[in-house]
């Protein structure tokens, strides 16, 4: 993991504290974005549950028969 590697370089001043802080904040920002996306997925699954189309009655309401000679 990049944060662990950079944290080992920080005490020897091989990288600046600013670069390390930017890296850590980007990692935390990405983790937060993942949580937001997971919440969006959960909300979409909930909303999908409301999309069931249910007919008020079962079966066939009427038939439409066409016989020979009918004008269609």
């Amino acid at each position: 993991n990049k944060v662990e590697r950079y944290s080992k370089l920080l005490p020897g001043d091989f990288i600046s504290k600013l670069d390390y802080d930017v890296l850590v904040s980007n990692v935390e920002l990405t983790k937060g974005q993942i949580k937001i996306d997971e919440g969006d997925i959960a909300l979409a699954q909930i909303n999908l549950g409301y999309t069931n189309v249910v007919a008020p009655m079962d079966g066939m309401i009427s038939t439409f028969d066409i016989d020979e000679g009918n004008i269609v």
Side-chain angles (χ1 to χ4, degrees):
N1 156 341
K2 208 171 193 180
V3 174
E4 291 174 5
R5 286 190 314 222
Y6 276 41
S7 66
K8 293 176 185 175
L9 297 175
L10 192 59
D13 289 333
F14 294 111
I15 61 165
S16 70
K17 176 78 169 127
L18 178 64
D19 288 341
Y20 179 74
D21 289 342
V22 168
L23 176 69
V24 171
S25 65
N26 286 339
V27 168
E28 293 302 316
L29 179 71
T30 304
K31 286 180 184 178
Q33 187 62 47
I34 289 171
K35 293 289 185 185
I36 290 171
D37 292 342
E38 288 172 347
D40 289 343
I41 290 170
L43 179 62
Q45 288 173 339
I46 290 170
N47 288 335
L48 189 62
Y50 298 123
T51 60
N52 293 337
V53 178
V54 180
M57 294 181 235
D58 288 341
M60 193 179 302
I61 294 175
S62 67
T63 60
F64 184 71
D65 294 327
I66 297 176
D67 298 324
E68 285 186 34
N70 288 353
I71 298 176
V72 181

